[in-house]
Amino acid sequence: MRGSIVVLALAMSSFVGSVSQAQDTASTSSPKVCVKDPGNPSSSGDDNRSKKCPAPPPANTGKVTISGNVFFDLAPYDGVFDAENEVGIAGWNVVLTGPTGSMSFLTVTGDFSFAGLPGDATYTLCVQPSAGWTQTSPTSGAACPSSFGYTIVVPPLAADSTITGKDFGFYSNTTF
């Protein structure tokens, strides 16, 4: 009988030790990144099995630049900026709204550019036209006060990127 108690005590101590070790590894705060391949059972044990580690996600460190032009659209009022014949309209506000709020750019020659913007975000680009002007481009899109604008969805970026051609065309309603 005494031998049975000793054998039972030894068996229980190894079971309790396994349970306490399992609890210790489960209570760590850092998650496991790599998972051991279950592979085929072998006599060499768990230590010799290969580890499969998932590829790290791409770093979202790239920045985006959004640029375009506010231009005086001449006949046939096609909404397409023709740098040879059409000129930028100076002094108009271009407003970019995104995850960090609104930013405004006052055009000097009609050109505008918003740089250093984070990726993985959605932006709305609008222009504030002066009275007496009719918009020719864009003809639809984001609803802006007194005009149409652009909705720009920027994915997560691993490198810097530039979005160009976000142009706003207008013609004057006044006759010369």
Side-chain angles (χ1 to χ4, degrees):
M1 168 109 164
R2 193 179 237 185
S4 300
I5 292 174
V6 170
V7 170
L8 182 60
L10 286 174
M12 287 301 292
S13 66
S14 66
F15 174 77
V16 170
S18 297
V19 170
S20 68
Q21 286 174 348
Q23 289 173 344
D24 286 346
T25 58
S27 67
T28 60
S29 60
S30 60
K32 290 188 177 190
V33 176
C34 300
V35 178
K36 288 189 178 186
D37 183 3
N40 294 328
S42 68
S43 60
S44 59
D46 193 39
D47 294 334
N48 293 326
R49 292 192 182 144
S50 63
K51 292 182 179 181
K52 291 183 178 179
C53 299
N60 184 14
T61 57
K63 301 292 182 189
V64 69
T65 298
I66 298 172
S67 64
N69 201 314
V70 180
F71 67 97
F72 190 158
D73 195 6
L74 301 175
Y77 312 115
D78 60 2
V80 178
F81 180 55
D82 176 9
E84 289 182 29
N85 299 318
E86 296 170 332
V87 295
I89 301 173
W92 286 16
N93 253 353
V94 179
V95 179
L96 181 76
T97 306
T100 58
S102 292
M103 295 179 264
S104 182
F105 186 92
L106 182 65
T107 64
V108 177
T109 61
D111 296 329
F112 63 88
S113 182
F114 295 94
L117 305 170
D120 198 16
T122 299
Y123 298 93
T124 302
L125 185 64
C126 297
V127 67
Q128 296 171 340
S130 295
W133 291 82
T134 299
Q135 186 173 8
T136 60
S137 69
T139 57
S140 64
C144 298
S146 308
S147 68
F148 288 110
Y150 295 96
T151 299
I152 304 164
V153 179
V154 180
L157 301 170
D160 290 348
S161 179
T162 302
I163 298 172
T164 60
K166 298 302 179 189
D167 299 330
F168 294 90
F170 291 87
Y171 67 86
S172 174
N173 297 332
T174 56
T175 343
F176 296 99

